Amino acid sequence: MKSYVGLLCAGLLLQALAAPLSANEMGRQVYQKWCSHCHDKGSDYPGTLALEARYKGAVPAALKERDNLAPELVTYIVRNGISVMPFFRKTEISDQELQALGAYLNRASHISKND
Ligand code: HEC
């Protein structure tokens, strides 16, 4: 019985490792790794504070709550940086990841925040 459970766990683990990430999951992970510490909702995040000051409530300050964030803008800003926001190299965020990130942020306001 014990070895059976072990085998089952190993099997599930292998399956999880082999399964390709969905684009949405990839976008979410890239956001968590590179953007969340500056752009999450709240007063501890410099990106959110800067955008709050800029838009004065006209649009949500947290990126994940925006519904007007064009993927082209995300791509441009991620590759070039803006103000204190650094730019990100392709060795940090690949083109494929950037595409997933743009799509994720574009639809992030329409889907569950835990998704
Ligand atoms: C070190 C903190 C920091 C990190 C990390 C960071 N940003 Fe920013 N970001 C900022 C700040 C600050 C601004 C506002 C700059 C300004 O205009 O004053 C900004 C602005 C932006 C804007 C412009 C929004 C608009 O309405 O013009 C986008 C898009 C953006 N960031 C996306 C991202 C993404 C995507 C990531 C992750 C790959 C990221 N940022 C990582 C700090 C950061």
Side-chain angles (χ1 to χ4, degrees):
M1 184 60 191
K2 213 169 158 192
S3 66
Y4 172 75
V5 172
L7 264 181
L8 191 71
C9 289
L12 285 175
L13 186 68
L14 277 179
Q15 211 174 31
L17 289 175
L21 283 184
S22 72
N24 187 58
E25 177 59 16
M26 182 189 284
R28 191 187 69 77
Q29 288 184 8
V30 173
Y31 172 84
Q32 286 302 336
K33 179 171 180 186
W34 297 105
C35 323
S36 59
H37 54 283
C38 280
H39 283 291
D40 264 358
K41 188 177 181 165
S43 52
D44 292 334
Y45 305 101
T48 303
L49 288 176
L51 294 175
E52 207 167 86
R54 166 131 57 98
Y55 291 117
K56 300 187 172 34
V59 299
L63 288 189
K64 282 211 295 182
E65 299 195 340
R66 294 273 289 272
D67 58 7
N68 67 339
L69 211 50
E72 294 77 17
L73 176 72
V74 173
T75 297
Y76 181 82
I77 292 191
V78 168
R79 286 291 180 235
N80 293 280
I82 178 171
S83 166
V84 299
M85 175 178 156
F87 67 86
F88 295 87
R89 295 176 176 82
K90 293 188 182 191
T91 47
E92 294 163 320
I93 300 176
S94 71
D95 285 337
Q96 191 195 6
E97 287 171 332
L98 185 52
Q99 200 181 7
L101 177 64
Y104 171 72
L105 286 176
N106 192 240
R107 48 178 248 140
S109 62
H110 311 291
I111 55 178
S112 153
K113 293 291 182 289
N114 302 318
D115 196 6

